[in-house]
Structures are given as C-alpha cells and as structure tokens.
Amino acid sequence: MARDVIDMTPLQSRDDLVAWFEAGAKPPSKFRIGTEHEKFPFTLARHEPLPYEGPRGIRALLEGMQMILGWEPIMEAGHIIGLVDVTHGGAISLEPGGQFELSGAPVETIHQTCSELQAHLAQLREVAAPLGIGFLGLGMAPTWSRSEMPVMPKGRYRIMTGYMPKVGRLGLDMMYRTCTVQTNLDFSSEADMVKKLRVSLALQPVGTALFANSPFTEGKPTGFLSFRSEIWRDTDADRSGMLPWAFEPGMGFERWVDYALDVPMYFVKRGEQYIDVAGQSFRDLLDGRLEALPGERATLSDWANHVSTIFPEVRLKRYLEMRGSDAVPWRSLPSLPAFWVGLLYDPDGLDAAWDLVKDWTAEERQALRDQVPRLGFKATIRGRSVLDLARDCLAIARAGLVRRAREDWAGRDETRYLTPLETIAERGTTPAEELLAKFHGGWGGSVDPVFNEYAY
C-alpha cells in the first residue's frame, strides 16, 4: 500500500463500515483494472539486496524517479518512502525488504496496463542503470537470507515485524523476502461482489500454479514450486486463507465487516505517529474502549488502514484484489489482469467460471490450495488436475476477452496478453519447473545465473 488513507470522519456504528464497502459499487461502464507488481532491487556488481541509504540505495532510486516523473513524494519521518501520481492515481511504494512496487493507476483496458508497465520500467532503468541497480521478477528472494534483507523506514512495518513471530513461523519471510503481482477489479453490486469473490477464491490456486515462480531460497531448491504461496500457509491464520464462510448463505458486505472486525489490528495512525496496538480489537476502537487510546473513537482512516492489513487469497476493499500469484518476468505481468478480467468482467465468462467451482466443498477448496504450492499443475480436485482446470479457465478467459472487444491502436484485442499463460499450459510445466530444469542443467547447481537471465 503506497499511502495510508487520511480521512478523520468519525465512525458511529457498524453500519458506517458496511456503507464504506457499499460505496465501492459502480456500473460496469465504470469498471477499471488495477495492476500492482513488486520486484527485488539488487546490486548489479555483487547481486546483493539494496540498502535504503547510500548513494546507490533505494532512497537515491526514489529521488531519481521523482525527478523524472514529477510525482509527489510520500514522506515519513524525513524519509522518502514512495511517490504518488495525484493526477492519475498511480503510485510507487516500498515493501518491508525494499521490494519496489508499482501500484498502477485504474485503467480501462489491459493495453493501457501494458503501456503503463513499459513506461514504468523504461523510467526505472534510466535511473537505476547509472546506480548499478537491477531488478528481479521472482516470487521469492533466491539467494538472500532473512538476516541479509534491509529494513525500510516505515512505521507500519516496524510494528508488523514485532508482531509476526507471535502468529506464525514464516511471517517475516513473507514481509521481507517475497514478491507478488496482483490485479484489482471492480464490482457493480453486493451480489456481483459475492459471485466474483467466490469464483476468484476457488480459482486462486489455478492462478498460483500458472504463475508459480519461487522454487529457491538461500541458493537451493525448497521443494516447492511457489514457496511464496507456501509461506502464506504459516504466516497469520487470523488474516489470511481461503475464507470458507464466504461461500455460506448470507454472504455480503456485512459478513465481511464482521470478519474484518475480528481480525486483530496492527496500528492506529495519529498524525505522523504509528501507535502500536498489535493484537487489539477494532471493535474496542469503534466503541471508544481501546486501551491504547482511551475514549477515542475510530475514523474512516482507521478502518481503511485496518482493512489494508488483512491478507486473504482474495481481499475485499472497495474493489477485489487477486493476491495468489508470484512475481514473474515483466513480459508475463499483463497476463494476470488478462486472466482475471476475462473470467470476471464478462458476464458469460463469470457464469462459466462459477459452473466450474460451484459444487466444490470448503474442504476440497482448502485441499487444493494446500497442494498447489508444492505440486503446481499436478494438484487435483475431484479427480481433475490443476493443469486441466487451467486450460479450461484460459479458454473461458479468452472467450471473455474476445467478447469485451477492447482493441489497441493496431486493432488487436486483449487476448494477446494470455499467450504467455497459454504457452505454459500447453507445455504443462510451471515457470518454477523451468527454473529448476535450468538449475539442475545448464546452471550447474547454481542459482546465481537467475540475476542475469531473469533481471528486468
């Protein structure tokens, strides 16, 4: 998240929280596509993680990007921690270990997403090359240990770093050593949100397999194709997972509010100060009974910031976030929005996708999610492999994009962005398996060549 929400409107009741979500609904003509992608910066000379300070560090990188873009800096305690395009809505932010993230502006087509990505990478290279900085598109840092990772000067990350070891073994690895690509999509009503949420939750493991790209850590294979996805299984069960209750009768905005109210908080922000309330209840803040802020009531800022600290496989804000995929090489990044837009934004595609998953039980969905990090396409549900499901989903997505009929300047529709995924499904091996084949073959048991072959 690039910037904390600033809206000190006081919240009076649970109804205000429900209304906040309801306000996200918009007509299909106003649907937009948001794409967020993270990448690891590293030193070209030694393939080391990039520190924040120093003449060739992340601060220098952000300052250089500010000069090129003219975007407004995001500051915290005198440190530049991001940039925001106040005109169009895009932003650059830092994850805890220095992962460099572009939160793309909400755009109408995947063509625009691709153009935005290409412009961002061109601008980034212009600044990074003289500084000797490269970027890596993988889901997991392939060689660096947790202790080697830098720490970004952000108050929310300091609080999270202290809390994570209390609720899981791998939360700090999630924070400091993983990267993802994410697609954010709109809904038109509560019913539309529920249907899209259910379809995307059920099929998130298919997206995980198609983008599985994190088989290494500390220079060795992990035994997983998406170790990033496996890490989430032991991070913080209170705020992650497959949300089985989302498939139960009565699901809607109110049910999500009740879920979010039961997720322990990390912080409350007042002015520039992050107040550590990790593990405490938003219900208490809503009622003015929070121990750390006696008598003070919750604001819209508090709610929006709290919702941003919930991490299920699909997250509801005022839009839906697809969160199950590893970072990948830049040419494949537009494939993620193409996949989900084709499935969710076309009504016939959404119906077809729902038909694939509507009879699955909560236990079956969870078993599939548990298998995929290790098995990828070989995971199964009801006797069908994820590879078969992926091929079905890609066919549905392609048909949906054809019906959308959004053409670029050359008359090409959005289906061309599915090609990298269709190639993966045709050969039947995940990106991680391709990496492992190189590791055991031409790379001679070394991970280091990844910094040359997979760098942006």
Side-chain angles (χ1 to χ4, degrees):
M1 184 174 179
R3 181 179 243 173
D4 293 314
V5 173
I6 302 173
D7 186 337
M8 299 307 291
T9 302
L11 296 171
Q12 302 299 326
S13 69
R14 174 177 171 274
D15 290 344
D16 293 340
L17 310 183
V18 176
W20 186 84
F21 284 113
E22 289 174 338
K26 59 187 62 171
S29 62
K30 299 291 186 182
F31 282 2
R32 296 294 182 264
I33 304 162
T35 304
E36 304 180 24
H37 61 89
E38 302 164 1
K39 47 216 171 276
F40 292 109
F42 66 90
T43 64
L44 290 173
R46 298 173 62 88
H47 299 167
E48 295 173 338
L50 208 63
Y52 177 80
E53 298 288 0
R56 297 174 181 268
I58 287 174
R59 178 199 283 268
L61 184 63
L62 281 172
E63 291 172 343
M65 289 295 287
Q66 183 191 2
M67 291 182 64
I68 285 180
L69 296 170
W71 289 6
E72 181 179 308
I74 304 170
M75 305 297 295
E76 184 174 326
H79 298 99
I80 184 170
I81 58 168
L83 302 168
V84 62
D85 179 358
V86 295
T87 302
H88 299 102
I92 290 171
S93 60
L94 302 176
E95 293 299 304
Q99 302 97 315
F100 210 79
E101 178 178 3
L102 175 69
S103 297
V107 298
E108 294 185 47
T109 72
I110 303 164
H111 307 303
Q112 292 169 319
T113 295
C114 186
S115 296
E116 176 188 59
L117 168 66
Q118 290 175 323
H120 168 71
L121 293 178
Q123 294 154 352
L124 194 57
R125 293 183 190 113
E126 183 177 345
V127 177
L131 298 175
I133 297 170
F135 297 90
L136 193 61
L138 288 178
M140 178 77 183
T143 59
W144 312 322
S145 67
R146 189 191 298 173
S147 63
E148 292 178 283
M149 300 306 296
V151 178
M152 297 301 102
K154 297 180 68 169
R156 65 158 51 201
Y157 295 157
R158 174 183 54 80
I159 292 168
M160 291 172 64
T161 297
Y163 184 71
M164 281 294 183
K166 301 175 183 178
V167 290
R169 294 184 306 114
L170 300 177
L172 294 179
D173 292 299
M174 178 279 292
M175 290 178 62
Y176 289 95
R177 296 204 294 162
T178 65
C179 278
T180 185
V181 55
Q182 175 177 306
T183 292
N184 305 328
L185 300 176
D186 290 315
F187 49 84
S188 62
S189 65
E190 183 173 53
D192 187 48
M193 178 279 290
V194 170
K195 189 171 185 178
K196 287 174 176 172
L197 175 67
R198 288 171 172 171
V199 167
S200 55
L201 274 169
L203 291 177
Q204 207 63 212
V206 176
T208 299
L210 282 166
F211 284 79
N213 195 41
S214 52
F216 305 121
T217 187
E218 299 183 28
K220 298 177 182 177
T222 62
F224 294 90
L225 301 177
S226 177
F227 191 47
R228 184 206 60 83
S229 182
E230 177 65 16
I231 282 170
W232 274 110
R233 296 203 319 118
D234 196 352
T235 289
D236 184 345
D238 287 334
R239 66 185 75 240
S240 60
M242 289 289 285
L243 310 181
W245 47 265
F247 294 80
E248 296 173 357
M251 175 57 195
F253 294 127
E254 289 192 32
R255 183 66 185 85
W256 191 279
V257 165
D258 290 337
Y259 159 65
L261 283 171
D262 288 333
V263 174
M265 288 193 294
Y266 283 145
F267 64 86
V268 174
K269 190 177 183 183
R270 290 293 179 265
E272 294 301 312
Q273 182 182 7
Y274 287 85
I275 300 168
D276 188 345
V277 296
Q280 297 182 42
S281 166
F282 198 96
R283 294 181 190 273
D284 288 344
L285 179 61
L286 190 63
D287 293 338
R289 295 185 288 106
L290 192 69
E291 183 179 343
L293 294 169
E296 190 156 348
R297 304 294 291 260
T299 69
L300 273 177
S301 289
D302 297 330
W303 180 241
N305 291 332
H306 176 59
V307 167
S308 77
T309 67
I310 300 171
F311 309 123
E313 292 293 288
V314 180
R315 177 164 63 187
L316 174 64
K317 290 173 145 179
R318 286 181 163 178
Y319 45 84
L320 289 165
E321 300 178 345
M322 311 295 117
R323 299 177 47 83
S325 298
D326 290 354
V328 289
W330 74 268
R331 292 184 184 277
S332 296
L333 288 173
S335 298
L336 187 72
F339 181 74
W340 289 112
V341 166
L343 289 175
L344 303 184
Y345 269 5
D346 174 70
D348 291 343
L350 182 58
D351 286 343
W354 177 238
D355 285 341
L356 282 178
V357 306
K358 63 185 179 183
D359 295 328
W360 295 354
T361 67
E363 292 75 19
E364 288 170 331
R365 290 190 300 269
Q366 186 62 52
L368 185 66
R369 191 265 177 266
D370 292 343
Q371 292 177 54
V372 161
R374 186 183 295 275
L375 299 179
F377 289 143
K378 297 181 180 67
T380 60
I381 184 168
R382 295 197 173 187
R384 297 199 69 202
S385 70
V386 168
L387 180 58
D388 286 341
L389 283 171
R391 290 168 174 165
D392 285 351
C393 288
L394 287 166
I396 294 169
R398 172 169 282 275
L401 295 177
V402 168
R403 285 188 291 268
R404 263 173 62 85
R406 304 298 179 89
E407 296 183 347
D408 66 6
W409 61 272
R412 298 171 295 185
D413 67 19
E414 295 168 314
T415 57
R416 67 192 185 97
Y417 302 107
L418 288 177
T419 300
L421 300 184
E422 291 169 335
T423 300
I424 288 168
E426 182 178 351
R427 76 186 182 214
T429 53
T430 63
E433 288 167 298
E434 297 296 305
L435 282 169
L436 288 165
K438 292 181 178 183
F439 175 84
H440 293 295
W443 291 359
S446 172
V447 175
D448 200 59
V450 77
F451 289 97
N452 297 319
E453 295 190 25
Y454 283 75
Y456 287 177

